[in-house]
Amino acid sequence: FRPAMHGRPRVRTTEEQRAAKAKERAAKVIEYRAAMDDAMRLRQLCQDSLAGLEADERRKNREQLLRVTQALLQANPDIGTLWAARRETLQQIEQQQQQQQQEQQQQQEQQKQQEQQKQQEQQQQQEQQQQQEQQKQQEQQKQQEQQKQQQQQQSDEAIVAQLSNELQLTAACLMQNPKSYGAWHHRAWTLDRLGVSRADLAGELRLTRQFLQRDERNFHCWDHRRHVCRLGGVPASEELAFSDKLLTANMGNFSAWHYRSRLLLAQTDGGLTAQTRKRELDTALSAMFSDPADTAPWAYYRWLMSPPSEPQRLLWLRYLSRNDKSDNTDWDNDENVSSCVLMCLSRPVTKAWLAKLLDIRLLPAGNNGDGCRLEAEDPVPVAAVSGCGSANPAAHLWRLPIKAADGVEVIRVSVGADSTLMSSTVSTAAPGRLRLLPSPTQPSAVDEALRSEQLNLIRQLNELAGDSRQGLLTEAALLPTPAEALPLLDRLAQLDPTRSGAYGHARSRLAVRARLQEAKSEPETLSLAGLGLTALPLMHEFAFVSELDLSDNRLTRLPGQVAGLQLLQTLDARRNRLADADACRPLAACRRLRVLRLTGNPLAEEAAALAELSGQLSERVRIELD
Amino acid sequence: LTSQMSNISAGDSSSSDDEGRSRRCRQQQQLPDMEKFSAQLTKYCRRVLTCLPSHCSGYDQNRLVFAWFAISTMDMLDRTQELNRQEIIDWVYSLQILPSSGRPVANCGFRGAPLLGSPADPHLDAENPLPYDASHLTMVFAGLGILLMLGDDLQRVDRDAVLSGVAALQTPAGCFTAGKFAPESDLRFVFSACVSCYYLNDFTKIDVDRSVAFLLACQTYEGGFGQRPGSEAHGGSTFCAIASLKLLGRLDSALPADSRQRSRLLRWLCQRQHRGFHGRPYKDDDSCYTFWIGASLAALGRANLIDRSALVEFVFSCYSGMDGGFSKYPGDSADPLHTYLALAGLAALRLEDERLEPIRPEANITERAHLHMLALHRAAAASAASH
């Protein structure tokens, strides 16, 4: 039997051959159906709950079931229900043997008690033979202990023999079908059943090695090896040595590199030490230098050099007041809400998170104390990133309504706890003023010296080997600033046109990031003009802008997150690729938008589309088409 | 998506007939015109629905999935009206496993085929439940999917039983096993569970947070997702992870748009294209990854990042007019799984809008069937409100 979907090449056969094959198959089908029916009937019979069957008959049924299922599984190891039948049967056998053992033990206990009674009587009668009797007693006890152990061993051996049979069966199935989920799973179950003390784990590791020699990417086999190592508590250092051997034989063994990454994380509990990182970098580099065309070590190398995840950051705050004459936003109808704080975080959070980790305090003038804590009663997500319409939306940007508070001068907003606490303040005396928190210098567990050392090495390698996809990607990843990486992405797009869309996208991100990092005296006016943007990422970081220049880019549509630009008044989108009203749909949510520039877009030439767009936007928006 | 099918995803880059295959590849594959293409495919699907070759006998217990492949393909061609819909719908319902005094609600759902001899009347079957008869998550998904595609109103589905059956298979770690007597657990079944809850519009019985945690634990350093925590990143499981997160409404909070995990994931997905897609580094392009990788990108809103013409060219190089379906590699025999996944991938990426009805990637169903599902949800909500 060869599973149908592992890639069957087409072969021409003659009519005669076809007919003969058909006959053969028809016979096989009948055989198969008969065997399946048999197996199911036997499985039912094996249920001990069926009354009236003698223990002997049950045993015979079980043995037959094991025989029948063995034959079927060797032909098709993917019938899960047959493996399950075997597991049940083995469990029943084990239970029965345990029962027998218990009964025997009970019998022995009884015998022992009877013996003891007899001996006591004899003692009363013949005191001179006390010593002899005592000796006899001890001997008998010893014998009984031995017997007990023997029986334990026997039943143990019996179970081990059964389970070894399962190992043989699964091995036979796997030789033919090394990718059978059912067979691997059953083998793992068998090993678990044997347990650390009885399983031949060294033999098991050898077996996985053999299968990996046939196909080094067989993930079933890799998963099995991981299972065996967990079961046997094999130390990570031994497995690292194993992956070393595999990589020495073939540096491109992707699965071995992956395995290494898991082992290291397990060994160092999530964070690599500087020493470990250096050692691994050297391993990867020697692979990369000896064959730069091999992709595997590059991916691993980039992982080693990547900085840790960015923690949650408080990006900016803005205090808005109903009394502020310059604020022409529509306020909610709740008269009690006189002001609000707009707060933006680097990673989206939910209301539940805010309830736990958001702290707002009102500090009246002159009061240097803790101030009075305000419950963030009903924070409103602005442009939720997920769970829109559900009970639990997540957003970067939140609107925190604040009820009237006389004499309050300073509002302190804190998020996070303990070491991750970030805090900033806004003054009620200056409504509308943006409080932009300074972005921390690039955090890296990868220190600056290491980064620049590695950058030099990679540059050397790229010079030796010439432009390559992996080389350019890696060099770009090691550069200290996003602006420096831009020309590399251009070269990548030329070198690897299949992925030019992806590179354009990554380039847009770097370009926006570079622009944002430039110091600005007036952050509310942002220019992203002329960056060749094909996408508009990181919008939550500049969601406070009132003037945004997106001209001379390559945007085909304005993404949904544009709805989060709640303070946007002027948008210059000239000379992009906006084709229809739909491309600008998110602007309808920008309540303060007053001016929209569209010259140089396909949309600007289509009267009907413009009319549609006009209809979508508020009548306060002026569309300029000079 | 059953255990056997997924063997394809493991990918066999070796071939016993390399020379023959490359010879066939060199022959120009001419794209047939729409009518002929549609006719050939339909003929193939009908064959799958009526009679499979004997070498497929090992898939006996997975008939529901095979039916799903064929019907989904015909749905993309907008030709399901040519089938005897009622007959198929009734057959699907005959595979439903209903609760009774002899059968706990945790065993309920759908089976793949009446392998154990269960009667065609599910009520009769419930009165005398067969031992070892239990639901399989992939069959729940396939069964509900077929009903939706054929326009059924799901009135005969015992929603409570099916959903309880799904929930009963969730593990403490947040994964799902395939069925009571199929204890293997990995992302394939997390997806089957999530999409089944999605079709029935009810996630309340499963522990969503735990599943999200399990899903995230499956992401590897490369950026893709493995079948279980610790396993290598792989195209099939990556789709299962992304689709599950999206269906659970947690994609953008678990993998925020500007986060490193998201960019690594996108990069990993984009790297899976030579001309067509493959499932892991160093593997040959394989037509089924058109869906696993393509739909992943589509679900992430990044269908535009790939080389579309190269992909289409590769996919059709796997088409054989003689068979009427698609094969895993160019030049091989067609099979129902690759036929569906090759086309569904193109449909999810909206690359063949003239030939194929688009597919909603995370729900793995046509937009038309998806609309029908939404209408059913609205009707149910309306009638619940009026009570």
Side-chain angles (χ1 to χ4, degrees), chain A residues 28 51 106 151 203 271 312 338 370 444 488 509 517 554 563 602 621:
Chain A
K28 280 205 182 134
Q106 275 174 1
Q151 275 163 5
Q312 179 70 270
S338 63
D370 267 346
S444 44
L488 286 171
R509 183 120 176 271
Q517 278 180 351
R554 290 190 282 183
V621 178

Side-chain angles (χ1 to χ4, degrees), chain A residues 191-203:
Chain A
L191 285 174
D192 287 344
R193 209 83 191 163
L194 283 167
V196 183
S197 51
R198 297 182 296 185
D200 175 13
L201 293 178

Side-chain angles (χ1 to χ4, degrees), chain A residues 327-398:
Chain A
D327 181 344
N328 55 5
T329 322
D330 306 323
W331 279 85
D332 301 324
N333 290 328
D334 186 352
E335 287 299 326
N336 287 330
V337 176
S338 63
S339 52
C340 76
V341 172
L342 279 181
M343 172 186 76
C344 185
L345 297 165
S346 62
R347 310 176 105 202
V349 299
T350 59
K351 257 195 220 183
W353 189 96
L354 290 173
K356 272 192 293 191
L357 293 166
L358 172 68
D359 184 283
I360 308 181
R361 277 165 199 279
L362 308 181
L363 304 169
N367 185 334
N368 291 324
D370 267 346
C372 114
R373 182 148 193 247
L374 188 73
E375 292 303 317
E377 278 179 34
D378 225 352
V380 178
V382 182
V385 293
S386 74
C388 301
S390 82
N392 208 26
H396 290 276
L397 192 51
W398 288 84

Side-chain angles (χ1 to χ4, degrees), chain B residues 19-297:
Chain B
E19 216 189 85
R21 181 186 293 158
S22 55
R23 198 185 331 118
R24 285 183 283 272
C25 283
R26 271 180 254 123
Q27 296 163 6
Q28 265 298 12
Q29 274 292 353
Q30 288 298 338
L31 276 184
D33 65 68
M34 183 53 199
E35 273 210 43
K36 199 163 168 212
F37 177 66
S38 175
Q40 286 169 345
L41 264 173
T42 304
K43 203 164 145 200
Y44 181 76
C45 292
R46 281 184 177 288
R47 260 211 317 278
V48 171
L49 285 172
T50 44
C51 179
L52 282 168
S54 63
H55 63 74
C56 290
S57 59
Y59 298 110
D60 194 20
Q61 66 271 34
N62 298 325
R63 286 192 237 160
L64 196 46
V65 172
F66 270 78
W68 182 81
F69 286 139
I71 296 170
S72 304
T73 304
M74 287 187 69
D75 200 20
M76 281 190 281
L77 298 171
D78 196 8
R79 292 179 78 147
T80 52
Q81 59 273 34
E82 295 172 28
L83 297 168
N84 188 337
R85 297 201 205 195
Q86 198 52 51
E87 189 184 356
I88 298 175
I89 289 172
D90 289 339
W91 174 72
V92 172
Y93 277 121
S94 77
L95 297 169
Q96 189 174 187
I97 301 179
L98 295 171
S100 69
S101 56
R103 178 187 278 145
V105 92
N107 286 12
C108 295
F110 285 82
R111 65 175 80 85
L115 187 73
L116 301 177
S118 40
D121 178 350
H123 297 282
L124 203 63
D125 163 65
E127 280 167 37
N128 269 312
L130 289 171
Y132 312 114
D133 190 23
S135 173
H136 187 291
L137 273 181
T138 310
M139 306 306 158
V140 175
F141 152 52
L144 293 173
I146 293 176
L147 293 173
L148 286 173
M149 283 188 279
L150 297 181
D152 184 69
D153 59 11
L154 303 187
Q155 285 301 317
R156 286 190 268 165
V157 174
D158 185 336
R159 292 173 45 93
D160 191 67
V162 170
L163 291 165
S164 300
V166 169
L169 296 170
Q170 188 166 28
T171 68
C175 193
F176 284 82
T177 61
K180 184 151 185 243
F181 302 109
E184 44 189 277
S185 63
D186 55 52
L187 287 198
R188 294 173 292 160
F189 309 113
V190 177
F191 171 70
S192 294
C194 290
V195 77
S196 302
C197 292
Y198 181 73
Y199 287 166
L200 295 176
N201 198 23
D202 187 338
F203 290 94
T204 55
K205 292 197 157 76
I206 63 175
D207 188 332
V208 173
D209 290 329
R210 253 191 286 151
S211 279
V212 171
F214 184 85
L215 286 162
L216 290 177
C218 292
Q219 192 173 26
T220 75
Y221 77 98
E222 297 176 72
F225 288 77
Q227 283 290 1
R228 300 186 55 79
S231 301
E232 204 182 323
H234 178 285
S237 38
T238 300
F239 168 78
C240 290
I242 295 169
S244 301
L245 285 169
K246 190 148 186 191
L247 294 171
L248 294 171
R250 301 286 196 95
L251 181 62
D252 291 317
S253 51
L255 295 172
D258 292 310
S259 64
R260 183 174 308 135
Q261 289 97 311
R262 180 95 138 196
S263 353
R264 271 198 192 143
L265 170 61
L266 284 168
R267 188 162 55 210
W268 186 84
L269 287 166
C270 289
Q271 304 267 9
R272 301 282 70 77
Q273 179 169 30
H274 289 318
R275 292 164 50 234
F277 288 130
H278 50 271
R280 286 188 286 165
Y282 291 121
K283 293 286 190 165
D284 291 338
D285 290 342
D286 171 342
S287 64
C288 68
Y289 290 98
T290 314
F291 184 78
W292 304 128
I293 304 292
S296 296
L297 285 165

Side-chain angles (χ1 to χ4, degrees), chain A residues 536-582:
Chain A
L536 196 53
L538 302 173
M539 253 187 288
H540 56 276
E541 295 204 15
F542 54 87
F544 46 75
V545 293
S546 51
E547 280 182 42
L548 180 61
D549 185 357
L550 293 177
S551 59
D552 294 296
N553 280 302
R554 290 190 282 183
L555 297 169
T556 54
R557 40 181 283 277
L558 299 177
Q561 285 282 290
V562 160
L565 303 178
Q566 289 285 297
L567 303 167
L568 183 66
Q569 294 174 11
T570 307
L571 176 63
D572 187 346
R574 286 176 293 175
R575 294 178 296 278
N576 272 282
R577 298 180 189 176
L578 303 168
D580 51 34
D582 209 39

